[in-house]
Amino acid sequence: MRRTDPGGHGPVRFGPALPEDGLPVLAELSAVLAAAASRAEAEPVGGGPALLEAACGHGDRRGLPAAPDRVAVAPGAPALLMALTAAIGGDVLVPRPCAAWWAPEARLLGRPAFPVPTPHESGGVPDPYALLETVRRVRAEGGDPRLLVLSVADDPTATVAPPELLHETIEAAVAEGLHLVSDETWRDTLHAPRETVLLSPAEMLPEHVTVVTDLAGALLPSGWPAAIGRFPAGADGGALHARVLDVLTALDARVAAPVAVAVAHALAEPEAVTARTAAAVRLHARVAAAAREAVVAAGALAHPPQAGRHLYVDLTPLAPALTAHGVGDAQELEDFLTARLGMPAPGGHRFGDDLEAPRVRLSTAPLLGDTAEQRAEGLASSAPLELPHVRRALDRLRTVFDGLRDEARR
């Protein structure tokens, strides 16, 4: 991630990546991929029968049933969202802030992406009244809003939207004739699954929602791109599925055949895969909580992270110290913290937030160690925060933020 001119193409090319887990690939998945490496035939666009069957089973276990002719598998969620945006047409609405890759999908198709404010208590799902006002304004200005993209388990804020808010928002969206795309990449990374209620929009209004899940969120390493799209039942869902497959075919956006075999294996969720996912979620949850404790103790603001491998930090209370360092906007804050922390700290403007607001997303993977051995040690440890390399990384984080707090007080 490099500093770039927000008006050029660099923000897409050098923008922040999906928060990675930073962990070695599960040996069982590596073995499955290696065994399939000699496959020469191409996986069909949208996925072959075995892959689609595994994807359907994965959805069934999450209360998201779909027939194989309502499921598509693509090489990553961006390809699916691009195809959906092209197939649905019209203008796109996104929450503010939102995942860094959503708005570029619309812009690359020549479509505007209109941001809608989210409530203070959570991100990922727009405020329903702000949504209605945005739709009204866009139409009054000659626009044609047709698509709302949202996420219940959110990147960048790491929060989970409450079901009451979600219900009000999606009912407002459907009443205005919008189709919803629910990005559920992080749904299987809840830090406290017994205490956090996560409902998919597709469970509430299944005929109006397409679910997109990038498997790099919980099941696969990011270098093996694969994502699932689940389309609504009924004639409209079937037509949308067909149009999306047309776009994916035009792009030749297919999962590599050996990767498809590994994806199908992971989607079946054998014990080794589920145990690894659970261990990784526990590790990142502990580190995220410790990181939040460090930044909040220094006076910064951050919601308790509820999902994913990241947290979203607002440094407004530390503004006097930032000003003394010549930091006046989110891009300058990104440069400053990236250098001080020795890890990426993408500014909130990367996620559609206000450029003037001093906010950053911090990921937990860089805090797990510098080598594969160190990161694997954290995965196996019952007390990962006590490991020397993790403790050093958290101490550096505390030192940087405590220094800003002390400067702000002076």
Side-chain angles (χ1 to χ4, degrees):
M1 189 183 68
R2 306 179 192 173
R3 183 184 178 117
T4 54
D5 175 6
H9 297 292
V12 177
R13 196 154 39 108
F14 298 119
L18 203 70
E20 298 185 3
D21 70 358
L23 301 170
V25 178
L26 178 65
E28 181 172 309
L29 284 181
S30 294
V32 171
L33 182 71
S38 61
R39 282 189 58 180
E41 69 278 11
E43 184 75 10
V45 171
L51 187 52
L52 293 178
E53 181 180 355
C56 290
H58 180 268
D60 286 344
R61 292 189 293 275
R62 285 154 181 79
L64 299 172
D69 64 354
R70 293 295 186 274
V71 174
V73 183
L80 274 174
L81 184 57
M82 173 76 77
L84 280 161
T85 305
I88 291 170
D91 300 332
V92 181
L93 302 175
V94 297
R96 184 174 197 176
C98 69
W101 55 274
W102 288 0
E105 300 293 305
R107 289 198 298 267
L108 289 170
L109 291 169
R111 312 270 175 75
F114 294 97
V116 186
T118 56
H120 172 72
E121 61 271 16
S122 65
V125 176
D127 176 87
Y129 300 104
L131 174 64
L132 291 172
E133 175 58 24
T134 303
V135 170
R136 184 202 64 76
R137 176 176 55 83
V138 171
R139 287 178 176 154
E141 296 173 356
D144 181 22
R146 297 189 197 176
L147 176 62
L148 170 64
V149 187
L150 51 76
S151 59
V152 181
D154 186 44
D155 171 21
T157 66
T159 58
V160 176
E164 313 83 57
L165 168 67
L166 178 65
H167 190 266
E168 291 179 9
T169 297
I170 65 174
E171 285 212 326
V174 170
E176 293 297 328
L178 303 179
H179 186 79
L180 286 85
V181 170
S182 176
D183 178 1
E184 302 188 6
T185 294
W186 301 107
R187 68 167 294 148
D188 289 341
T189 65
L190 296 183
H191 296 180
R194 295 182 180 178
E195 302 169 16
T196 307
V197 178
L198 185 152
L199 287 178
S200 168
E203 296 178 75
M204 297 180 175
L205 295 174
E207 295 181 357
H208 302 279
V209 181
T210 298
V211 176
V212 171
T213 305
D214 197 309
L215 299 180
L219 289 180
L220 294 177
S222 59
W224 301 5
I228 304 170
R230 294 186 178 89
F231 297 80
D236 290 345
L240 178 59
H241 178 261
R243 293 198 301 273
V244 165
L245 287 182
D246 282 344
V247 177
L248 293 176
T249 301
L251 297 173
D252 196 28
R254 68 182 78 227
V255 178
V259 172
V261 176
V263 171
H265 182 83
L267 288 172
E269 296 181 292
E271 183 179 354
V273 171
T274 56
R276 170 58 174 272
T277 298
V281 170
R282 285 195 301 269
L283 172 60
H284 284 282
R286 290 175 180 176
V287 175
R292 178 186 179 265
E293 181 181 350
V295 301
V296 169
L301 306 173
H303 286 299
Q306 297 174 283
R309 305 186 278 258
H310 51 285
L311 67 156
Y312 201 54
V313 184
D314 186 342
L315 285 83
T316 299
L318 305 178
L322 297 175
T323 301
H325 286 282
V327 175
D329 62 27
Q331 179 62 71
E332 292 170 348
L333 179 61
E334 174 184 302
D335 295 341
F336 175 77
L337 284 181
T338 296
R340 288 291 184 95
L341 296 173
M343 58 183 272
H349 64 299
R350 304 275 191 171
F351 309 98
D353 216 337
D354 292 330
L355 178 63
E356 303 304 317
R359 301 186 186 112
V360 294
R361 186 193 71 187
L362 300 179
S363 297
T364 50
L367 303 173
L368 300 181
D370 299 324
T371 66
E373 291 74 19
Q374 287 179 338
R375 295 189 288 269
E377 189 178 358
L379 189 64
S381 174
S382 60
L385 302 183
E386 300 303 317
L387 295 172
H389 50 277
V390 176
R391 192 164 57 244
R392 282 194 300 270
L394 289 170
D395 285 345
R396 182 172 185 174
L397 183 70
R398 291 190 192 96
T399 298
V400 170
F401 276 84
D402 286 350
L404 291 173
R405 176 199 60 201
D406 296 342
E407 291 176 32
R409 288 175 176 173
R410 290 196 293 270

